[in-house]
Amino acid sequence: MQFIEMSMDERWVNRTAQVMFDTFHWFHGEAFSCILDDLLNLPADRKVIAEGFRLLPLLVEPLLASPGNALWLLSSPEFRRKAFTERGSLWSIPNKTSNPEKALQNQLEREVLFEKHLSRQIESTGLRSIRVDGVLSEDELYAAVSRQFELEFEDA
C-alpha cells in the first residue's frame, strides 16, 4: 500500500521500524535528482551548504570534486529526541495514532536504522561525518563544520 494512502496507524503503529525504514522512499534516494537539478542551477562560484536526509553519501560522493566538500552530521538517538522535544514536535506524529507510545518508539527506531545506514555509506565512501550528541557545544560544532569547509565568517 502506498504511504500516502495509509492511515496513521498503518504508517506508524502497525509496521515494524525495519519495514518503515525499508519502505520510506526518501531514505533510499527518491527525489535526489530534483535536489541535484536545483544545486546545478546555482552559480558555480558559490559555496553551498545543502542538507537533508535525501542526500545519501553513495549518491553524493561521485559528484564531489573533493571528498572534503561533503560532511554529514549524525545525531545520536538521545540528541534527536531532545531536539524534537525542545521543538515541541516529539509527539506531533505519534499523537495522531491510536497508540502514541508505540508510534513514537517505531519512529525513533526507524531514525536509528537510517543513521546506521548513513554511517555505513559514509564509511564505505571515505567521506566525513561529525557525531552530534551534545558533547560538542554549538560553538565547537560550528567551528568543526567551518574548518571542514574552510569557511570564514565575520563576527556579528
Side-chain angles (χ1 to χ4, degrees):
M1 178 182 290
Q2 295 282 343
F3 184 82
I4 197 76
E5 296 171 357
M6 293 179 182
S7 71
M8 292 301 280
D9 278 3
E10 288 170 329
R11 291 178 190 177
W12 302 103
V13 177
N14 300 339
R15 301 184 307 153
T16 66
Q18 184 66 54
V19 169
M20 292 166 60
F21 168 74
D22 290 342
T23 60
F24 193 59
H25 49 281
W26 289 346
F27 285 170
H28 303 284
E30 185 172 304
F32 177 74
S33 62
C34 297
I35 296 167
L36 186 57
D37 289 344
D38 288 345
L39 293 172
L40 291 173
N41 284 318
L42 295 172
D45 62 340
R46 292 176 75 186
K47 289 187 177 186
V48 176
I49 294 178
E51 72 83 29
F53 54 83
R54 298 178 200 176
L55 297 170
L56 302 172
L58 289 176
L59 298 175
V60 172
E61 189 270 336
L63 305 172
L64 297 172
S66 163
N69 290 348
L71 175 71
W72 277 260
L73 302 179
L74 301 175
S75 59
S76 69
E78 299 79 18
F79 185 86
R80 189 177 306 107
R81 185 180 182 118
K82 180 182 176 198
F84 288 146
T85 299
E86 289 177 359
R87 286 185 212 147
S89 63
L90 183 67
W91 293 97
S92 295
I93 290 173
N95 279 339
K96 295 176 183 174
T97 71
S98 65
N99 188 341
E101 292 79 18
K102 174 80 170 154
L104 180 62
Q105 177 185 347
N106 284 342
Q107 183 181 11
L108 294 174
E109 286 178 18
R110 181 194 73 162
E111 298 299 320
V112 167
L113 292 170
F114 181 61
E115 189 273 336
K116 288 178 181 178
H117 179 71
L118 283 179
S119 293
R120 286 189 299 271
Q121 286 193 15
I122 290 165
E123 186 176 319
S124 73
T125 57
L127 296 172
R128 295 205 45 223
S129 66
I130 295 175
R131 185 78 169 156
V132 179
D133 56 10
V135 172
L136 292 178
S137 70
E138 286 182 34
D139 288 341
E140 291 169 324
L141 182 58
Y142 176 84
V145 170
S146 296
R147 280 191 305 275
Q148 168 72 17
F149 295 116
E150 300 173 357
L151 301 175
E152 295 181 24
F153 295 97
E154 294 180 21
D155 291 331

